[in-house]
Amino acid sequence: DGVLLSNLLCRLPDPQACLEALAGIVNPGGVVVMVTPFSWLEQFTPRQNWLGGYYESNAKVPIKSKDELQRIMEAAGFELIHEEQVPLIIREHQRKFQYIISEATGWRKLTEG
């Protein structure tokens, strides 16, 4: 099995539901590859559904998206097998480009979910 989520996670209304659903569709030994800049915006994802990218309100402790991703994927029976930073350029129009560094991770399913 193989699943690819490319620059999708931070554009979903409920990214955690997407990640948790992977356990039901990927067989043991299957691989999930995710590439995401973790650029959370409320126009796509309600703030209460962000996987990090903010500070905990009481303690002012940063909640990091990469840590939340790892917590969710490990709880769903996946192990991290690869990670790297991936640069990309998005052309918005003739004179405007976005330069982004996305987090690329690979996950192998260990157990039945």
Side-chain angles (χ1 to χ4, degrees):
D1 290 348
V3 174
L4 173 65
L5 291 100
S6 182
N7 296 317
L8 172 71
L9 195 64
C10 54
R11 295 299 178 259
L12 296 172
D14 192 348
Q16 184 164 345
C18 173
L19 296 176
E20 290 171 347
L22 291 171
I25 61 172
V26 177
N27 291 318
V31 173
V32 175
V33 174
M34 275 183 264
V35 182
T36 179
F38 295 124
S39 56
W40 304 104
L41 297 171
E42 289 184 281
Q43 74 186 84
F44 301 110
T45 309
R47 188 169 176 84
Q48 68 268 17
N49 292 344
W50 291 8
L51 306 180
Y54 58 89
Y55 285 87
E56 183 184 295
S57 59
N58 296 336
K60 299 294 182 198
V61 175
I63 307 300
K64 298 180 180 177
S65 296
K66 185 175 176 181
D67 295 341
E68 290 298 296
L69 174 63
Q70 185 158 359
R71 179 186 61 77
I72 294 165
M73 291 300 285
E74 288 177 352
F78 291 87
E79 71 171 335
L80 181 64
I81 57 172
H82 183 81
E83 60 184 316
E84 69 179 273
Q85 304 280 308
V86 178
L88 67 106
I89 295 176
I90 297 173
R91 184 176 184 176
E92 292 187 22
H93 59 73
Q94 186 176 2
R95 295 189 179 103
K96 185 177 179 188
F97 296 83
Q98 288 184 36
Y99 179 74
I100 300 168
I101 307 287
S102 287
E103 183 75 27
T105 54
W107 305 86
R108 178 173 290 118
K109 175 102 180 271
L110 297 176
T111 61
E112 282 297 325

